[in-house]
Amino acid sequence: MTESPPEIVVLDDAQAVAEEAAARWVALAGDAIAARGRFTVALSGGSTPRALYERLARPSHREGAPWANTHVFWGDERAVPPAHADSNYRMVHEALLAHVALPLDNIHRVRGENAPQYAAADYEQVLRLAFELRSGQFPRFDLVLLGMGADGHTASLFPDNPALDEAGRLFIATHVPQLDNDRLTMTLPAINAAAHVVFLVVGEGKADTLRDVLQGDPDPTRLPAQAVHPAGGQLTWLLDKAAASALSL
Ligand code: 6PG
């Protein structure tokens, strides 16, 4: 299947990005459930994805989304317990899960409280079971949500990190020297197996990096977000005008 070109959507501001992302979530969920009986989504940490989760928790979206058949996973997690202030699970629970009728069995949390290598291997097993994967197969999420840091990182795939070269694993532990901490992250082949990948990027502070990622020379080791290209899926960038201000569109 040939890769379709990325869809780049520029919206007025961060709230408009959150609203557009919420509308797409609900639409993709409806299509997936109609076709396969469930909607599988990998969530991202970060303040921009958080705005989407908070938007989905509002009555206008909360009541329209098919939570009973939605399964949430995490694209990355910090190596901390779920109650920790840095936990992506905690953030998603506060912003969304505490407000919607998602069955507990549909919440597939990364066990960041465990030793990183064990937590990663455990989550790979969660993914293999949830997607009925055979050896060498990757999960085809209906939707993978991603943010992007001003350094070009995405999920917990950071510049110049050996994690970027992982070609066989689904989910790994990675030490991030830039942060001096450990992270747990879906690998690039796992992200790139998705049916839809949606980046949510807002703010002037991301503009130059976004220009380099989308219109600069290929350099995925320095700009990991450049390595996200779902060969058999659709890549979409939802941007506000500030983040898109350095692009030539
Ligand atoms: C994380 C995220 C990370 C985040 C980006 C963007 O665990 O922190 O997975 O990749 O999405 O850093 O975050 P902001 O939207 O807050 O800039």
Side-chain angles (χ1 to χ4, degrees):
M1 183 182 291
T2 54
E3 184 174 341
S4 43
E7 177 192 18
I8 299 174
V9 180
V10 181
L11 298 143
D12 281 346
D13 53 31
Q15 283 312 309
V17 167
E19 181 56 36
E20 176 68 19
R24 285 172 181 247
W25 169 306
V26 173
L28 286 173
D31 293 348
I33 290 166
R36 291 175 296 282
R38 72 175 187 174
F39 172 55
T40 57
V41 53
L43 304 178
S44 171
S47 58
T48 313
R50 180 180 182 124
L52 161 59
Y53 309 144
E54 291 169 342
R55 182 69 59 133
L56 284 168
R58 290 185 186 179
S60 53
H61 287 297
R62 181 173 69 209
E63 283 139 21
W67 300 111
N69 301 93
T70 294
H71 285 257
V72 298
F73 300 77
W74 274 256
D76 72 317
E77 184 54 281
R78 288 78 180 280
V80 297
H84 192 284
D86 291 344
S87 165
N88 285 340
Y89 168 80
R90 174 174 169 173
M91 181 272 282
V92 173
H93 184 266
E94 289 173 351
L96 178 62
L97 301 181
H99 309 284
V100 297
L102 198 76
L104 290 178
D105 287 348
N106 293 16
I107 300 171
H108 308 278
R109 179 177 73 84
V110 181
R111 299 191 180 286
E113 65 273 24
N114 294 331
Q117 296 297 341
Y118 176 81
D122 175 65
Y123 206 63
E124 285 189 301
Q125 198 54 19
V126 167
L127 294 173
R128 286 193 195 98
L129 290 173
F131 288 87
E132 298 177 353
L133 301 179
R134 292 193 301 277
S135 172
Q137 288 187 321
F138 291 95
R140 184 168 174 78
F141 280 94
D142 295 307
L143 173 60
V144 171
L145 286 170
L146 295 172
M148 188 192 76
D151 62 354
H153 85 261
T154 190
S156 284
L157 297 163
F158 283 78
D160 306 308
N161 196 295
L164 299 173
D165 300 324
E166 179 55 54
R169 299 276 305 273
L170 307 181
F171 208 88
I172 58 173
T174 172
H175 182 72
V176 183
Q178 296 93 326
L179 302 175
D180 191 25
N181 69 15
D182 291 319
R183 292 286 190 97
L184 298 157
T185 189
M186 204 176 285
T187 59
L188 284 167
I191 292 170
N192 285 328
H196 290 84
V197 178
V198 176
F199 274 98
L200 308 176
V201 185
V202 303
E204 182 80 33
K206 307 278 179 76
D208 290 344
T209 303
L210 199 59
R211 178 202 54 227
D212 293 350
V213 167
L214 292 178
Q215 300 175 335
D217 295 333
D219 190 357
T221 301
R222 184 175 67 85
L223 298 165
Q226 270 188 344
V228 175
H229 38 78
Q234 175 61 52
L235 174 61
T236 297
W237 292 81
L238 299 183
L239 313 172
D240 71 350
K241 284 177 178 169
S245 58
L247 296 179
S248 306
L249 293 176

mmCIF file with all atom_site columns, all heavy atoms in Angstrom, residues 227-238:
data_model
loop_
_atom_site.group_PDB
_atom_site.id
_atom_site.type_symbol
_atom_site.label_atom_id
_atom_site.label_alt_id
_atom_site.label_comp_id
_atom_site.label_asym_id
_atom_site.label_entity_id
_atom_site.label_seq_id
_atom_site.pdbx_PDB_ins_code
_atom_site.Cartn_x
_atom_site.Cartn_y
_atom_site.Cartn_z
_atom_site.occupancy
_atom_site.B_iso_or_equiv
_atom_site.pdbx_formal_charge
_atom_site.auth_seq_id
_atom_site.auth_comp_id
_atom_site.auth_asym_id
_atom_site.auth_atom_id
_atom_site.pdbx_PDB_model_num
ATOM 1  N N   . ALA A 1 227 ? 10.349 10.611 11.723 1.00 0.00 ? 227 ALA A N   1
ATOM 2  C CA  . ALA A 1 227 ? 10.383 9.155  11.461 1.00 0.00 ? 227 ALA A CA  1
ATOM 3  C C   . ALA A 1 227 ? 8.991  8.547  11.525 1.00 0.00 ? 227 ALA A C   1
ATOM 4  O O   . ALA A 1 227 ? 8.820  7.348  11.323 1.00 0.00 ? 227 ALA A O   1
ATOM 5  C CB  . ALA A 1 227 ? 11.299 8.470  12.480 1.00 0.00 ? 227 ALA A CB  1
ATOM 6  N N   . VAL A 1 228 ? 7.990  9.364  11.849 1.00 0.00 ? 228 VAL A N   1
ATOM 7  C CA  . VAL A 1 228 ? 6.604  8.863  11.912 1.00 0.00 ? 228 VAL A CA  1
ATOM 8  C C   . VAL A 1 228 ? 5.990  8.998  10.532 1.00 0.00 ? 228 VAL A C   1
ATOM 9  O O   . VAL A 1 228 ? 5.744  10.110 10.047 1.00 0.00 ? 228 VAL A O   1
ATOM 10 C CB  . VAL A 1 228 ? 5.777  9.630  12.958 1.00 0.00 ? 228 VAL A CB  1
ATOM 11 C CG1 . VAL A 1 228 ? 4.316  9.169  12.903 1.00 0.00 ? 228 VAL A CG1 1
ATOM 12 C CG2 . VAL A 1 228 ? 6.370  9.440  14.350 1.00 0.00 ? 228 VAL A CG2 1
ATOM 13 N N   . HIS A 1 229 ? 5.821  7.838  9.864  1.00 0.00 ? 229 HIS A N   1
ATOM 14 C CA  . HIS A 1 229 ? 5.103  7.858  8.581  1.00 0.00 ? 229 HIS A CA  1
ATOM 15 C C   . HIS A 1 229 ? 4.434  6.487  8.419  1.00 0.00 ? 229 HIS A C   1
ATOM 16 O O   . HIS A 1 229 ? 5.060  5.524  7.995  1.00 0.00 ? 229 HIS A O   1
ATOM 17 C CB  . HIS A 1 229 ? 6.017  8.177  7.400  1.00 0.00 ? 229 HIS A CB  1
ATOM 18 C CG  . HIS A 1 229 ? 7.384  7.582  7.477  1.00 0.00 ? 229 HIS A CG  1
ATOM 19 N ND1 . HIS A 1 229 ? 7.622  6.258  7.194  1.00 0.00 ? 229 HIS A ND1 1
ATOM 20 C CD2 . HIS A 1 229 ? 8.580  8.096  7.865  1.00 0.00 ? 229 HIS A CD2 1
ATOM 21 C CE1 . HIS A 1 229 ? 8.909  6.008  7.365  1.00 0.00 ? 229 HIS A CE1 1
ATOM 22 N NE2 . HIS A 1 229 ? 9.510  7.097  7.776  1.00 0.00 ? 229 HIS A NE2 1
ATOM 23 N N   . PRO A 1 230 ? 3.172  6.410  8.819  1.00 0.00 ? 230 PRO A N   1
ATOM 24 C CA  . PRO A 1 230 ? 2.448  5.127  8.769  1.00 0.00 ? 230 PRO A CA  1
ATOM 25 C C   . PRO A 1 230 ? 2.279  4.648  7.327  1.00 0.00 ? 230 PRO A C   1
ATOM 26 O O   . PRO A 1 230 ? 1.451  5.178  6.582  1.00 0.00 ? 230 PRO A O   1
ATOM 27 C CB  . PRO A 1 230 ? 1.109  5.451  9.428  1.00 0.00 ? 230 PRO A CB  1
ATOM 28 C CG  . PRO A 1 230 ? 0.949  6.929  9.279  1.00 0.00 ? 230 PRO A CG  1
ATOM 29 C CD  . PRO A 1 230 ? 2.324  7.508  9.285  1.00 0.00 ? 230 PRO A CD  1
ATOM 30 N N   . ALA A 1 231 ? 3.081  3.655  6.926  1.00 0.00 ? 231 ALA A N   1
ATOM 31 C CA  . ALA A 1 231 ? 3.111  3.229  5.512  1.00 0.00 ? 231 ALA A CA  1
ATOM 32 C C   . ALA A 1 231 ? 1.727  2.816  5.017  1.00 0.00 ? 231 ALA A C   1
ATOM 33 O O   . ALA A 1 231 ? 1.348  3.104  3.882  1.00 0.00 ? 231 ALA A O   1
ATOM 34 C CB  . ALA A 1 231 ? 4.092  2.071  5.361  1.00 0.00 ? 231 ALA A CB  1
ATOM 35 N N   . GLY A 1 232 ? 0.965  2.160  5.896  1.00 0.00 ? 232 GLY A N   1
ATOM 36 C CA  . GLY A 1 232 ? -0.366 1.711  5.448  1.00 0.00 ? 232 GLY A CA  1
ATOM 37 C C   . GLY A 1 232 ? -1.469 2.510  6.101  1.00 0.00 ? 232 GLY A C   1
ATOM 38 O O   . GLY A 1 232 ? -2.577 2.012  6.315  1.00 0.00 ? 232 GLY A O   1
ATOM 39 N N   . GLY A 1 233 ? -1.162 3.750  6.455  1.00 0.00 ? 233 GLY A N   1
ATOM 40 C CA  . GLY A 1 233 ? -2.160 4.546  7.155  1.00 0.00 ? 233 GLY A CA  1
ATOM 41 C C   . GLY A 1 233 ? -2.100 6.002  6.771  1.00 0.00 ? 233 GLY A C   1
ATOM 42 O O   . GLY A 1 233 ? -1.359 6.396  5.870  1.00 0.00 ? 233 GLY A O   1
ATOM 43 N N   . GLN A 1 234 ? -2.866 6.817  7.494  1.00 0.00 ? 234 GLN A N   1
ATOM 44 C CA  . GLN A 1 234 ? -2.956 8.247  7.228  1.00 0.00 ? 234 GLN A CA  1
ATOM 45 C C   . GLN A 1 234 ? -2.293 9.024  8.355  1.00 0.00 ? 234 GLN A C   1
ATOM 46 O O   . GLN A 1 234 ? -2.561 8.778  9.520  1.00 0.00 ? 234 GLN A O   1
ATOM 47 C CB  . GLN A 1 234 ? -4.432 8.664  7.124  1.00 0.00 ? 234 GLN A CB  1
ATOM 48 C CG  . GLN A 1 234 ? -4.656 10.166 6.960  1.00 0.00 ? 234 GLN A CG  1
ATOM 49 C CD  . GLN A 1 234 ? -4.013 10.721 5.692  1.00 0.00 ? 234 GLN A CD  1
ATOM 50 O OE1 . GLN A 1 234 ? -4.225 10.212 4.595  1.00 0.00 ? 234 GLN A OE1 1
ATOM 51 N NE2 . GLN A 1 234 ? -3.200 11.783 5.858  1.00 0.00 ? 234 GLN A NE2 1
ATOM 52 N N   . LEU A 1 235 ? -1.404 9.943  7.970  1.00 0.00 ? 235 LEU A N   1
ATOM 53 C CA  . LEU A 1 235 ? -0.750 10.818 8.938  1.00 0.00 ? 235 LEU A CA  1
ATOM 54 C C   . LEU A 1 235 ? -1.373 12.205 8.853  1.00 0.00 ? 235 LEU A C   1
ATOM 55 O O   . LEU A 1 235 ? -1.503 12.767 7.750  1.00 0.00 ? 235 LEU A O   1
ATOM 56 C CB  . LEU A 1 235 ? 0.748  10.900 8.641  1.00 0.00 ? 235 LEU A CB  1
ATOM 57 C CG  . LEU A 1 235 ? 1.583  11.886 9.469  1.00 0.00 ? 235 LEU A CG  1
ATOM 58 C CD1 . LEU A 1 235 ? 1.516  11.526 10.950 1.00 0.00 ? 235 LEU A CD1 1
ATOM 59 C CD2 . LEU A 1 235 ? 3.022  11.896 8.981  1.00 0.00 ? 235 LEU A CD2 1
ATOM 60 N N   . THR A 1 236 ? -1.780 12.735 9.995  1.00 0.00 ? 236 THR A N   1
ATOM 61 C CA  . THR A 1 236 ? -2.402 14.064 10.036 1.00 0.00 ? 236 THR A CA  1
ATOM 62 C C   . THR A 1 236 ? -1.705 14.926 11.080 1.00 0.00 ? 236 THR A C   1
ATOM 63 O O   . THR A 1 236 ? -1.402 14.452 12.169 1.00 0.00 ? 236 THR A O   1
ATOM 64 C CB  . THR A 1 236 ? -3.900 13.945 10.395 1.00 0.00 ? 236 THR A CB  1
ATOM 65 O OG1 . THR A 1 236 ? -4.573 13.201 9.371  1.00 0.00 ? 236 THR A OG1 1
ATOM 66 C CG2 . THR A 1 236 ? -4.552 15.315 10.523 1.00 0.00 ? 236 THR A CG2 1
ATOM 67 N N   . TRP A 1 237 ? -1.453 16.176 10.708 1.00 0.00 ? 237 TRP A N   1
ATOM 68 C CA  . TRP A 1 237 ? -0.905 17.156 11.655 1.00 0.00 ? 237 TRP A CA  1
ATOM 69 C C   . TRP A 1 237 ? -1.988 18.192 11.929 1.00 0.00 ? 237 TRP A C   1
ATOM 70 O O   . TRP A 1 237 ? -2.422 18.883 10.995 1.00 0.00 ? 237 TRP A O   1
ATOM 71 C CB  . TRP A 1 237 ? 0.323  17.843 11.050 1.00 0.00 ? 237 TRP A CB  1
ATOM 72 C CG  . TRP A 1 237 ? 1.521  16.955 10.872 1.00 0.00 ? 237 TRP A CG  1
ATOM 73 C CD1 . TRP A 1 237 ? 1.750  16.066 9.852  1.00 0.00 ? 237 TRP A CD1 1
ATOM 74 C CD2 . TRP A 1 237 ? 2.652  16.862 11.745 1.00 0.00 ? 237 TRP A CD2 1
ATOM 75 N NE1 . TRP A 1 237 ? 2.949  15.429 10.041 1.00 0.00 ? 237 TRP A NE1 1
ATOM 76 C CE2 . TRP A 1 237 ? 3.537  15.901 11.186 1.00 0.00 ? 237 TRP A CE2 1
ATOM 77 C CE3 . TRP A 1 237 ? 3.010  17.514 12.926 1.00 0.00 ? 237 TRP A CE3 1
ATOM 78 C CZ2 . TRP A 1 237 ? 4.747  15.565 11.786 1.00 0.00 ? 237 TRP A CZ2 1
ATOM 79 C CZ3 . TRP A 1 237 ? 4.221  17.185 13.521 1.00 0.00 ? 237 TRP A CZ3 1
ATOM 80 C CH2 . TRP A 1 237 ? 5.072  16.215 12.950 1.00 0.00 ? 237 TRP A CH2 1
ATOM 81 N N   . LEU A 1 238 ? -2.433 18.292 13.155 1.00 0.00 ? 238 LEU A N   1
ATOM 82 C CA  . LEU A 1 238 ? -3.385 19.332 13.556 1.00 0.00 ? 238 LEU A CA  1
ATOM 83 C C   . LEU A 1 238 ? -2.588 20.410 14.277 1.00 0.00 ? 238 LEU A C   1
ATOM 84 O O   . LEU A 1 238 ? -2.017 20.165 15.343 1.00 0.00 ? 238 LEU A O   1
ATOM 85 C CB  . LEU A 1 238 ? -4.483 18.763 14.462 1.00 0.00 ? 238 LEU A CB  1
ATOM 86 C CG  . LEU A 1 238 ? -5.374 17.666 13.856 1.00 0.00 ? 238 LEU A CG  1
ATOM 87 C CD1 . LEU A 1 238 ? -6.462 17.253 14.856 1.00 0.00 ? 238 LEU A CD1 1
ATOM 88 C CD2 . LEU A 1 238 ? -5.997 18.102 12.539 1.00 0.00 ? 238 LEU A CD2 1
#
